[in-house]
Amino acid sequence: MLTSPGTTGFWVPVALSSDLPAGTVVPARIPAGPIALWRSQSGRPSASADRCPHRGMSLSHGFVRGEALSCIYHGWSYGPAGNCLRIPAHPGLTPPEAIRTVTYPVTEAEGVLWVAAGEPAAAPPTLAGRVPLRSLTVFGDIAAIEAAAGAKASAEGLMEAGGITVLLSSVRDGETLVHVLVDANAGPADRIAAARAAEGLRRKAEDFQKKGAER
Ligand code: FES
């Protein structure tokens, strides 16, 4: 069985470790809203609200240089703690402490990147010997995926459905990332079967989403 501790908050599975190489940034989402998930050149993952404090540009459109995330618009850069490190238009200025992005705790375990929603009382759920196989994008909400699977995901997005285990992570309204997990010892046939089952789930969920929108 998968375990899911945590009482005052929970961990959101925002991406697979393999989908965030060093020096990259991707958009993700937690209940508090959209986030920019980035990994510094030295490999440290960080998460900040996806909004530049300067003029509101999405930081997930930015770029990573060294140990900082820079905004694509005017190049203000931010450290993992959210403080502004540099304002290119004023190279001699030490940015005031008050200029900072909201950041969220990130932890990485068993090939999955988790971002805290609230204040989790414990570590992310263990995957019980399972490993990430692949991720796929479903154009549907978590509710549509649950309806397609006839199952309910835990607060952390863990769901057992039709013989496969998935981790669900909302990207934005109407779009969900589905991380497919398989037993670490699964052979090629089981891996192919899990990938096919996940594709079937995706199609069904997108049908549910479409029908819901037509109602
Ligand atoms: S909006 Fe980000 S630096 Fe200006």
Side-chain angles (χ1 to χ4, degrees):
M1 263 310 279
L2 296 159
T3 58
S4 61
T7 50
T8 59
F10 54 91
W11 293 96
V12 181
V14 288
L16 298 186
S17 301
S18 55
D19 292 333
L20 190 72
T24 60
V25 55
V26 296
R29 183 163 166 153
I30 60 173
I35 59 168
L37 181 69
W38 59 285
R39 193 190 293 279
S40 72
Q41 290 295 350
S42 70
R44 175 181 172 163
S46 301
S48 78
D50 198 6
R51 188 177 187 286
C52 180
H54 182 213
R55 297 228 182 125
M57 171 61 80
S58 292
L59 286 171
S60 59
H61 291 157
F63 53 94
V64 176
R65 204 166 268 164
E67 302 303 296
L69 173 64
S70 294
C71 178
I72 195 76
Y73 202 177
H74 308 97
W76 292 24
S77 62
Y78 304 91
N83 54 308
C84 184
L85 300 171
R86 188 169 171 268
I87 297 176
H90 303 281
L93 177 81
T94 300
E97 260 298 303
I99 303 178
R100 51 175 53 245
T101 64
V102 177
T103 59
Y104 302 94
V106 183
T107 190
E108 192 163 21
E110 300 175 282
V112 178
L113 284 152
W114 302 81
V115 172
E119 293 179 13
T126 61
L127 303 185
R130 294 179 172 96
V131 293
L133 174 68
R134 58 166 294 201
S135 302
L136 59 162
T137 298
V138 173
F139 292 103
D141 297 319
I142 287 179
I145 298 172
E146 290 177 329
K152 185 97 185 121
S154 73
E156 291 90 353
L158 284 165
M159 188 175 78
E160 312 254 3
I164 55 170
T165 305
V166 292
L167 274 171
L168 305 178
S169 166
S170 173
V171 180
R172 56 181 70 86
D173 286 345
E175 187 176 334
T176 305
L177 258 185
V178 177
H179 310 298
V180 186
L181 307 177
V182 289
D183 191 282
N185 300 317
D190 288 338
R191 286 168 187 258
I192 290 168
R196 283 204 180 122
E199 281 295 342
L201 180 62
R202 179 177 65 77
R203 280 194 296 274
K204 208 167 160 190
E206 289 178 349
D207 276 352
F208 268 95
Q209 183 79 15
K210 220 180 285 167
K211 281 179 196 145
E214 285 164 3
R215 251 181 243 138

